[in-house]
Amino acid sequence: AGLPNTTLPKTDAMTESAAFTETRFTTPARYADEVTAAGAPVTATAAPDVDGVRIGTFAGYPAVLVETADARAAIALHGGHLLSYVPTGGEDLLWLSPRLADAPAAIRGGVPVVWPFFGRQGQSNDVPSHGFVRTVRWQLVEATRDAEGSVSLTLAPPHYADLGLDLRMHLRIGKTLEQTLETTNTGDAPVAFTQALHSYFHVSDVANVRVEGLDGLRFRDKNDGYAAHAQTGDWVLDDARDPGRSDYIYADAGGRYLLDDPGLDRRIELETSGSRSLVVWNPGETAAERSSDMNDGSWRGFLCLEAANAGPDIVRLAPGQTHVLTQRVRVLPRD
Ligand SMILES: O=P(O)(O)OC[C@H]1O[C@H](O)[C@H](O)[C@@H](O)[C@@H]1O
């Protein structure tokens, strides 16, 4: 097929802070120590006294393991990273690299938490790409089980006193996966930030799936100097301009997307709120082969649909204000 994309007039590159008004973050004083500590073994994490929740390991990472009648899930303490979500009777919705590097390296796969900036949008080159929370150890703050049997968790990254922002992540594991990033401005100045739940969805073959819900939207292509384009029809990987890779930021996105996968005979529904952008990313073969955690052909097994506030979609918070980004994910049968 191929996308008959229309090239729109080029505007300023999205990473130039002059074009937008993101806060320029300074790496928190504690960040380097937190990264170093994240490589050390986990010592005694108290297991919560909640049915179906325990502390164990998953893919070699210390993790919160959840089991309900409707689904199983694993959340690594490293990065607060959701590694696995398996609806009962189905396959994992998430992809995890078979070549994971050890902590404190970032985990390839699952749902990286990107915060408080997407990539290095609006930032200098001195800050780590995708923010300050994906390569540090998080804490499990709360676990509860509701009357329907779903498990709700709250996790938090280290508190950075000098950042002026605080993050809590909530997860609800049941028939549907619900994941929320709750950001509060704890400082005394307004903050403008970007973020994403960078989900790696497991697919049969990325070249053989399509994403509905993007038709007519404008997007910026990171591989094309952030040039603006217009989407016609569904997203597919075989973009006529560049077969085999996608790094698109869709703006003014509607918040409901369907990932149709004939090979796995399923559709993944992604619904978002508090997010007006969607990033659709797959590195394609050439870039994947240069990467130590995707250079085995496994890049074909995922597509990232990232519920984001990125590109022109920047969140502005006055002191004391809180912003909530939520994604809801579930499997639908194919008709
Ligand atoms: O390799 P990472 O730092 O995990 O980033 C993985 C990818 O994340 C996002 O999708 C960005 O838009 C991509 O440009 C980036 O390559």
Side-chain angles (χ1 to χ4, degrees):
L3 296 176
N5 290 308
T6 324
T7 303
L8 300 173
K10 213 165 176 170
T11 57
D12 293 344
M14 304 185 91
T15 46
E16 278 174 22
S17 60
F20 299 102
T21 52
E22 301 93 342
T23 300
R24 260 198 189 223
F25 292 100
T26 304
T27 301
R30 285 205 51 74
Y31 177 72
D33 286 348
E34 292 288 350
V35 173
T36 306
V42 170
T43 49
T45 301
D49 189 17
V50 176
D51 201 22
V53 181
R54 62 192 178 88
I55 306 291
T57 55
F58 189 94
Y61 291 97
V64 184
L65 305 176
V66 176
E67 222 168 322
T68 77
D70 295 317
R72 288 196 316 275
I75 304 97
L77 297 175
H78 188 52
H81 203 120
L82 177 63
L83 300 175
S84 168
Y85 170 75
V86 187
T88 301
E91 283 193 55
D92 210 319
L93 265 61
L94 299 173
W95 176 89
L96 195 57
S97 169
R99 298 191 168 189
L100 288 168
D102 291 337
I107 298 172
R108 175 74 62 197
V111 184
V113 178
V114 170
W115 185 92
F117 44 86
F118 183 78
R120 286 196 185 86
Q121 184 175 328
Q123 309 301 314
S124 71
N125 283 329
D126 303 339
V127 294
S129 174
H130 285 327
F132 304 125
V133 297
R134 72 167 175 164
T135 58
V136 294
R137 187 166 298 157
W138 290 42
Q139 302 285 331
L140 176 62
V141 177
E142 201 183 353
T144 56
R145 196 179 176 101
D146 66 22
E148 297 154 36
S150 297
V151 165
S152 294
L153 306 174
T154 299
L155 290 101
H159 175 66
Y160 299 120
D162 48 349
L163 189 61
L165 282 180
D166 215 33
L167 177 65
R168 285 275 177 287
M169 181 172 74
H170 306 286
L171 286 152
R172 186 159 184 257
I173 316 294
K175 266 201 183 73
T176 302
L177 164 70
E178 215 172 281
Q179 188 170 14
T180 293
L181 295 181
E182 192 184 301
T183 304
T184 302
N185 183 343
T186 53
D188 46 21
V191 174
F193 72 100
T194 55
Q195 62 179 346
L197 287 168
H198 190 310
S199 307
Y200 286 72
F201 290 110
H202 171 46
V203 295
S204 55
D205 181 345
V206 68
N208 196 26
V209 300
R210 55 183 56 245
V211 181
E212 299 168 25
L214 302 168
D215 186 20
L217 295 183
R218 291 164 68 103
F219 68 91
R220 304 293 188 122
D221 183 353
K222 215 162 157 178
N223 288 319
D224 187 15
Y226 292 97
H229 298 270
Q231 176 77 36
T232 309
D234 297 338
W235 176 97
V236 287
L237 187 68
D238 56 341
D239 183 328
R241 293 164 304 141
D242 184 4
R245 64 178 179 171
S246 170
D247 200 348
Y248 304 159
I249 306 180
Y250 290 88
D252 294 319
R256 182 170 184 263
Y257 319 99
L258 284 171
L259 170 51
D260 184 40
D261 187 349
L264 286 180
D265 196 24
R266 73 180 180 189
R267 289 186 302 160
I268 295 177
E269 181 192 57
L270 169 65
E271 285 184 300
T272 66
S273 58
S275 151
R276 289 185 294 112
S277 35
L278 184 82
V279 180
V280 181
W281 180 69
N282 181 282
E285 183 168 16
T286 310
E289 287 307 318
R290 286 198 299 264
S291 163
S292 59
D293 48 18
M294 293 183 285
N295 62 353
D296 54 356
S298 62
W299 61 275
R300 287 186 165 277
F302 72 81
L303 179 64
C304 289
L305 298 183
E306 309 168 32
N309 297 104
D313 175 17
I314 297 164
V315 181
R316 293 178 177 81
L317 279 184
Q321 279 189 330
T322 295
H323 174 269
V324 174
L325 160 68
T326 298
Q327 68 172 8
R328 279 176 215 87
V329 182
R330 63 179 175 151
V331 176
L332 302 175
R334 295 187 83 238
D335 305 325

